[in-house]
């Protein structure tokens, strides 16, 4: 569910509480937002005197912040106490509970079977008539409507299936992704009673105003706009739908029964359906605990709101419980409302780029990511920030998988389909006993066609659809985190296409990948960089130049960190193989610079001097053929451009060379330098001898006519 959130106002000095006999709580016990918050001020505008705090001296900012943090932690602890009885998904518990209510289970089963049975019958007829493919789009739309009618559990189930390319054909993925949480509201009186019951406070003591009706309603609850009585701050209050836990528990009890039958009798389905159901049910149950959602928001803010263009609303812990969530209200416009956004002088593409960069950090740096970034959960604020809302559905990328995904991109760029197929072991897509040999041709067939486009031309949705077709045909078991990654980036690209039909999320993501490859010291990424730069014993300078060009577009790129992981490996005891490659390439570069200097010197000579040293072949003083000379000069120019890219970086500092100088002072480095110098000397001596021999060889006598 999305919360449309607003500007924070100043906090007052006290709060009315019936728990304290109608007295104002002292300033120390003010309810504060969980994270960043301005220092409260007195109603008369003056700062509290030291005596009013029972102190003889004014506390320092550090002391005040420590006190604030302590208060926040205490408030969070109280909220956790209110959620102590929050339900946790347990197949055994729901079986015990609903197994003892047979009439309820039978009634709901008939309702579900009535809806889905007719749909299954249509699929059977389509298959018999050979119209399964032809009618797939139509049937997918019908299934979406059925899920909507069956209520919250099936809406959530459909949304979950929309992220599973290993389970659903592309037409179903696309249609189920359109499932919305929009459901009828429940009575306001029930919502307000829930707030009072959960917080053990009267509504009047908490809020000075509350919107007369919900501003949004979703499958699990609905949202009101309110103003806190003690501070005047505008907040969003989310209240859980009555009886939702009971209804969801019953549905999952019945769905698990179907899952057992599928696992037992449907041999053509290779995925463990029961495990998927339990995994999904566990996530839905977590969404039912609003204190868990509040903790998700706090963690998300700590990790990602360090960027000035990202906003995460604060949590009011003393007004939060298992079924009530109170958050800062943030004024904003949904990200798919392009006209409204641009009327404020903002650009949708700038906001989408912010979302992409933040999403990449979520997925590949810290691994804790927002799993439901649809337009209602992403707002453009009037000051140009991107606000993230609704932290009920979060997921995590395992550390090993984060690096494996980046390595997978490298293998894709290199068109190394065998390595790509092996990556699926590390990503947990395939069990170790599955042979990837038959999968390689399918990857080659799809990506050879897709990679005919440049990165800037490749559409991410096309890529996802193609991968989905491969996943659907072979025994893949796509982990939930990866399916959600694909969904989140597809959603962001879809939002960008409103503003620019030519926008490509892969092109916007590439600078981040380049930066990580160039600067991350992780051994996996370091090896991936070496794999990208070296091929068949040759260094690909064009790849390095492209990586630096793209990496420098990332705002966090640091030139001083670029290539440092590789330089360290170069002198490591395990780096002999890399040293041999580098020696060979260093000889080539040194020779190119030396010969390029000769050519530049020759070209700067007056004409009469050129005629004295020319060898008559058009290459000045050199005997190289034109193609070889052109290649040598291009190498020299390419190395020069790469150095220029490093120098042009805002973070460039001549001190960047200091670690290299320190490294060169080590014994291994001195040996390496000697080997390079020796190699250059040998190449230049050979060139000189070749030049000398050609110059002294007499020309063939002219042939008589």
């Amino acid at each position: 569910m999305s919360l449309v959130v607003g500007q924070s106002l100043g906090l007052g000095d006290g709060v009315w509480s019936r728990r304290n006999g109608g007295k104002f709580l002292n300033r120390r016990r003010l309810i504060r937002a969980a994270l960043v918050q301005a220092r409260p001020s007195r109603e008369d505008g003056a700062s509290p005197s030291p005596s009013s705090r029972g102190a003889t001296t004014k506390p320092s900012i550090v002391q005040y912040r420590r006190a604030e943090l302590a208060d926040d932690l205490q408030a969070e602890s109280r909220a956790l106490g209110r959620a102590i009885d929050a339900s946790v998904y347990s197949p055994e518990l729901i079986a015990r509970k609903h197994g003892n209510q047979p009439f309820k289970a039978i009634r709901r089963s008939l309702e579900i079977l009535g809806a889905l049975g007719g749909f299954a019958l249509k699929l059977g007829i389509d298959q018999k008539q050979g119209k399964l493919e032809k009618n797939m789009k139509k049937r997918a739309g019908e299934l979406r409507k059925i899920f909507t009618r069956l209520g919250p559990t099936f809406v959530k189930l459909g949304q979950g299936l929309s992220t599973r390319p290993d389970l659903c054909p592309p037409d179903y993925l696309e249609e189920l992704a359109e499932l919305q949480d929009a459901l009828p509201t429940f009575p306001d009186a029930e919502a307000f009673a829930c707030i009072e019951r959960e917080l053990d406070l009267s509504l009047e003591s908490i809020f000075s105003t509350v919107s007369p009706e919900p501003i949004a309603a979703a499958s699990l609850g609905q949202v009101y706009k309110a103003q806190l009585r003690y501070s005047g701050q505008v907040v969003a209050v989310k209240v859980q739908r009555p009886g939702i836990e009971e209804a969801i528990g019953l549905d999952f009890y019945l769905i698990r029964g179907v899952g057992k039958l599928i696992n037992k009798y449907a041999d053509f389905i290779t995925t463990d359906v029961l495990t998927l159901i339990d995994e999904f049910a566990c996530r839905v149950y977590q969404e039912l605990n609003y204190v868990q959602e509040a903790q998700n928001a706090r963690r998300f803010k700590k990790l990602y709101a360090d960027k000035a263009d990202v906003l995460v609303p604060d949590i009011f812990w003393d007004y939060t419980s298992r079924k009530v969530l109170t958050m800062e209200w943030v004024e904003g416009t949904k990200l798919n409302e392009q006209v409204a956004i641009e009327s404020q002088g903002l650009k949708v593409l700038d906001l989408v780029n912010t979302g992409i960069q933040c999403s990449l950090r979520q997925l590949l740096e810290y691994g804790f990511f927002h799993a439901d970034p649809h337009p209602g959960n992403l707002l453009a604020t009037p000051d140009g920030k991107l606000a993230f809302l609704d932290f009920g559905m979060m997921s995590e990328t395992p550390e090993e998988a984060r690096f494996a995904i980046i390595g997978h991109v490298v293998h894709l760029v290199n068109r190394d389909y065998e390595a790509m197929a092996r990556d699926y072991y590390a990503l947990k897509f395939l069990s170790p006993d599955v042979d990837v040999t038959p999968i390689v041709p399918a990857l080659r067939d799809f990506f050879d066609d897709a990679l005919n486009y440049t990165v800037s031309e490749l559409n991410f949705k096309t890529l996802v659809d193609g991968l989905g077709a491969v996943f659907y045909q072979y025994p893949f078991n796509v982990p939930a985190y990866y399916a959600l990654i694909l969904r989140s980036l597809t959603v962001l690209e879809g939002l960008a296409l409103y503003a620019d039909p030519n926008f490509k999320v892969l092109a916007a993501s590439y600078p981040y990948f380049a930066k990580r490859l160039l600067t991350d010291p992780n051994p996996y990424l370091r090896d991936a960089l070496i794999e990208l730069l070296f091929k068949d014993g040759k260094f690909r300078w064009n790849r390095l130049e492209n990586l630096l060009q793209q990496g420098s577009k990332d705002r966090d790129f640091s030139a001083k960190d670029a290539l440092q992981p590789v330089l360290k490996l170069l002198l490591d005891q395990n780096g002999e193989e890399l040293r041999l490659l580098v020696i060979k390439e260093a000889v080539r570069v040194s020779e190119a610079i030396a010969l390029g200097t000769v050519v530049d010197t020759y070209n700067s000579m007056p004409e009469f001097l050129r005629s004295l040293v020319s060898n008559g072949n058009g290459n000045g003083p050199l005997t190289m053929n034109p193609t070889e000379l052109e290649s040598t000069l291009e190498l020299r120019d390419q190395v020069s451009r790469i150095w220029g890219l490093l120098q042009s970086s805002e973070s460039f500092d001549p001190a960047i060379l200091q670690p290299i100088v320190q490294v060169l002072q080590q014994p291994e480095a001195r040996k390496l330098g000697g080997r390079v110098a020796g190699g250059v000397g040998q190449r230049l001596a050979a060139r000189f001898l070749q030049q000398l021999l050609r110059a002294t060889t007499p020309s063939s006598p002219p042939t008589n006519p």
Side-chain angles (χ1 to χ4, degrees), residues 374-451:
H374 63 71
N377 290 339
L378 297 170
L379 299 182
T381 67
D383 57 353
K385 293 183 179 182
L386 179 65
F388 283 82
L389 310 173
D390 191 355
F391 301 93
M393 185 179 288
M394 308 296 289
S395 190
E396 297 203 41
T397 313
E399 185 176 17
E400 181 185 3
R402 292 176 228 160
F403 300 122
I405 289 170
I406 297 177
H408 197 58
V409 172
V410 171
H411 295 147
L412 173 61
V413 171
N414 283 344
R415 301 194 186 209
D416 187 348
Y417 302 121
E418 288 80 6
M420 281 184 70
R422 290 193 297 272
D423 288 337
Y424 295 128
Y425 294 131
L427 290 167
K428 309 296 185 191
F429 283 24
L430 297 170
S431 60
D433 58 333
V434 174
D435 180 16
V436 297
T437 306
I439 299 170
V440 173
L443 292 173
R444 181 179 291 111
D445 290 344
F446 171 68
F447 283 111
D448 272 348
D449 182 49
L451 293 178

Side-chain angles (χ1 to χ4, degrees), residues 315-345:
I315 304 297
F316 291 84
W317 291 103
D318 271 314
Y319 301 140
T320 294
S321 72
R322 178 169 64 103
K323 296 183 178 181
V324 176
L325 174 61
T326 304
M327 306 176 77
E328 172 190 5
W329 178 273
V330 180
E331 292 294 346
T333 308
K334 289 183 180 180
L335 218 54
N336 60 350
E337 297 178 3
Q338 182 185 348
V339 175
I341 290 174
E342 293 186 348
S343 68
Q344 301 173 60

Side-chain angles (χ1 to χ4, degrees), residues 219-464:
S219 54
L220 302 185
Q222 57 195 36
V223 181
Y224 295 87
K225 183 177 181 180
Q227 189 173 40
L228 293 176
R229 181 171 293 281
Y230 83 94
S231 67
Q233 182 153 355
V234 181
V235 292
V237 185
K238 183 158 76 168
V239 186
Q240 194 169 110
R241 190 177 289 274
I244 188 67
E245 186 178 316
E246 176 83 10
I248 285 177
L250 175 58
D251 283 346
F252 277 120
Y253 168 68
L254 298 173
I255 292 169
R256 283 193 96 253
V258 176
K260 288 178 182 178
L261 295 174
I262 291 174
N263 275 357
K264 188 172 182 179
Y265 298 110
D267 295 335
F268 61 93
I269 297 180
T270 57
T271 303
D272 185 343
V273 175
L274 207 56
T275 299
L276 287 179
I277 292 170
D278 288 341
E279 185 181 80
F280 183 71
C282 186
R283 182 173 286 113
V284 172
Y285 265 72
Q286 287 176 354
E287 287 191 68
L288 291 173
N289 183 357
Y290 287 174
V291 172
Q292 177 65 56
E293 180 175 344
Q295 290 182 308
N296 291 341
R298 182 200 58 189
R299 182 181 175 191
F300 191 91
K301 181 161 189 165
K302 181 180 179 182
L303 291 176
Y304 309 116
D306 56 328
K307 302 300 180 186
D309 48 9
V310 173
L311 174 66
V312 179
D314 289 334
I315 304 297
F316 291 84
W317 291 103
D318 271 314
Y319 301 140
T320 294
S321 72
R322 178 169 64 103
K323 296 183 178 181
V324 176
L325 174 61
T326 304
M327 306 176 77
E328 172 190 5
W329 178 273
V330 180
E331 292 294 346
T333 308
K334 289 183 180 180
L335 218 54
N336 60 350
E337 297 178 3
Q338 182 185 348
V339 175
I341 290 174
E342 293 186 348
S343 68
Q344 301 173 60
L346 306 175
K347 294 182 179 178
V348 172
L349 286 183
D350 290 344
L351 292 157
V352 170
N353 269 311
T354 297
I356 289 170
Q357 298 309 313
C358 186
S359 293
L360 290 170
R361 291 183 70 208
Q362 292 173 50
L363 305 171
L364 301 175
E365 278 185 39
Y366 298 105
F368 182 67
F369 67 93
H370 197 298
D372 193 22
H374 63 71
N377 290 339
L378 297 170
L379 299 182
T381 67
D383 57 353
K385 293 183 179 182
L386 179 65
F388 283 82
L389 310 173
D390 191 355
F391 301 93
M393 185 179 288
M394 308 296 289
S395 190
E396 297 203 41
T397 313
E399 185 176 17
E400 181 185 3
R402 292 176 228 160
F403 300 122
I405 289 170
I406 297 177
H408 197 58
V409 172
V410 171
H411 295 147
L412 173 61
V413 171
N414 283 344
R415 301 194 186 209
D416 187 348
Y417 302 121
E418 288 80 6
M420 281 184 70
R422 290 193 297 272
D423 288 337
Y424 295 128
Y425 294 131
L427 290 167
K428 309 296 185 191
F429 283 24
L430 297 170
S431 60
D433 58 333
V434 174
D435 180 16
V436 297
T437 306
I439 299 170
V440 173
L443 292 173
R444 181 179 291 111
D445 290 344
F446 171 68
F447 283 111
D448 272 348
D449 182 49
L451 293 178
N452 286 330
Y453 300 96
T454 65
V455 172
S456 60
E457 294 172 330
L458 191 57
N459 183 292
F460 187 74
K461 187 177 184 304
T462 301
L463 198 62
V464 170

